[in-house]
Amino acid sequence: MKHRFTALIPIAPRPATIFTEGTGSWLSDSEGHRYLDFVQGWAVNTLGHCHPVIVEALQSQATRLINASPAFYNQPMVDLAELLVANSAFDQVFFANSGAEANEGAVKLARKWGAIHRNGAFKIITFENGFHGRTLTMMEASGKPNWNKLFAPKTPGFIKVPYNNLDAVVDAIDDETVAVMLEPIQGEAGVIPANQDFLHAIRKLTKEKNLLLIFDEVQTGMGRTGSLFAYQQYGVEADIMTLGKGIGGGVPLSAMLVTEAVSCFEPGDQGGTYNGNPLVCAAGCALLKTLLKPGFLKSVQASSLHLQQGLSTLAKHYGLGGVRGRGLLLALDTLQRDATAITKQAFDHGLLINAPRPNTLRFMPALNVSLEEIDLMLNILDKAVK
Ligand code: PLP
């Protein structure tokens, strides 16, 4: 069959395959091939493809109300905000459509707070190799190598320092600094966790200097690391947190959460046509209620252990590097082996995995992936590495 791929702007190197169906950890293409999916839309399909609770929530909401207006309340919007607030360290929520948009909201809020409380301070300290999205401002907030050369002129006000380096943060602070923004685990950088001491010291420092702390949990949130949010494992609470990716279980939804003390938007400061849309918020409610069921996050931790053990055994066998990460956001260093070539081999064997760095493989399966599926993945990975 001939596909008209040329009608699409090429934004990523994509295989010439059209995916047509998905169930749980499995995707099928138009030729009838099946793939074990350990990418899951880049850690988006929290419960795998087309999970019944997500499908049911979307179907039943679609027959009642698809879109009211961001100018009106709707039930799923209110329910999801209440659920998020009840289960986190934050008091208020702004909904958006993508991680980048939630982060833009966080930056705007921090700048407004700076205008009110810090004499117009606006600079935000972010981190080398960090990733916060692809809007013009988020590209500048991100520390992705070579991005600073693109799409000039840049949004001013982002100071980048090395991750896990407290002295660099201290040195970067001046009178115009308003916040420090970071991922508790840098996902796109190749799953690099913040050191426990570093995160605690950053919280202490930001409190002492009257600066805001912003956690970007777009990738690490919603159970991905084995707790509802990664910050809970570190025991460090921020002033602002952003969520995206997994929060909608596959549909475009994101959120910015803030503590009452810092919440300072007034009507007109922030918004968006699809903000709090009932269809996607209904999916978000269904997803969060599933994550909160007794035992769910424990099973993520058990699956994580199983996957970590399997990856370590494979790494030992082939002389690969260490396994990193938490929960079901794990990475394996391939050292001198080409990780992208391994993902291509894996694809040919019916396995979807991702290489965020030339020598790093990343694993982000559905949180309800079975132990058998993990074993099958390890089996195929073994063939791909061989
Ligand atoms: N923040 C983090 C930590 C991410 O990993 C990503 C996407 O990978 C984003 C923000 C951007 O999210 P989106 O692509 O939905 O704009």
Side-chain angles (χ1 to χ4, degrees), residues 41-64:
W42 266 259
V44 166
N45 309 315
T46 315
L47 302 175
H49 294 281
C50 301
H51 190 280
V53 304
I54 302 293
V55 172
E56 205 282 320
L58 288 170
Q59 279 176 340
S60 77
Q61 188 59 41
T63 59
R64 272 177 289 150

Side-chain angles (χ1 to χ4, degrees), residues 49-219:
H49 294 281
C50 301
H51 190 280
V53 304
I54 302 293
V55 172
E56 205 282 320
L58 288 170
Q59 279 176 340
S60 77
Q61 188 59 41
T63 59
R64 272 177 289 150
L65 180 65
I66 292 180
N67 184 24
S69 157
F72 305 127
Y73 293 119
N74 67 69
Q75 199 60 51
M77 165 208 271
V78 175
D79 291 348
L80 183 55
E82 284 177 354
L83 267 178
L84 285 167
V85 164
N87 289 285
S88 73
F90 302 90
D91 304 303
Q92 291 196 305
V93 183
F94 165 74
F95 289 117
N97 314 289
S98 67
E101 204 186 346
N103 285 335
E104 292 266 345
V107 167
K108 282 171 73 174
L109 188 70
R111 286 189 177 186
K112 172 140 197 207
W113 185 87
I116 299 169
H117 300 285
R118 294 277 326 259
N119 206 21
F122 65 97
K123 287 185 193 161
I124 299 187
I125 297 172
T126 59
F127 292 85
E128 289 171 10
N129 298 312
F131 188 84
H132 301 293
R134 289 174 181 274
T135 58
L136 280 175
T137 298
M138 283 312 118
M139 284 188 78
E140 184 50 20
S142 300
K144 219 169 146 67
N146 300 322
W147 267 17
N148 56 348
K149 296 181 197 127
L150 296 172
F151 312 124
K154 300 179 282 185
T155 306
F158 294 95
I159 315 299
K160 256 149 276 167
V161 299
Y163 196 57
N164 278 327
N165 184 331
L166 183 64
D167 291 342
V169 179
V170 173
D171 289 347
I173 295 173
D174 65 22
D175 288 346
E176 292 181 320
T177 309
V178 72
V180 175
M181 175 169 172
L182 56 80
E183 302 157 82
I185 299 173
Q186 288 190 326
E188 298 308 296
V191 190
I192 313 292
N195 295 334
Q196 181 85 11
D197 294 351
F198 174 71
L199 226 50
H200 278 268
I202 288 284
R203 179 67 283 189
K204 190 162 169 279
L205 178 70
T206 48
K207 279 205 170 135
E208 278 166 11
K209 303 265 181 195
N210 193 24
L211 305 176
L212 299 181
L213 179 59
I214 305 171
F215 282 164
D216 177 343
E217 291 231 26
V218 167
Q219 190 158 146

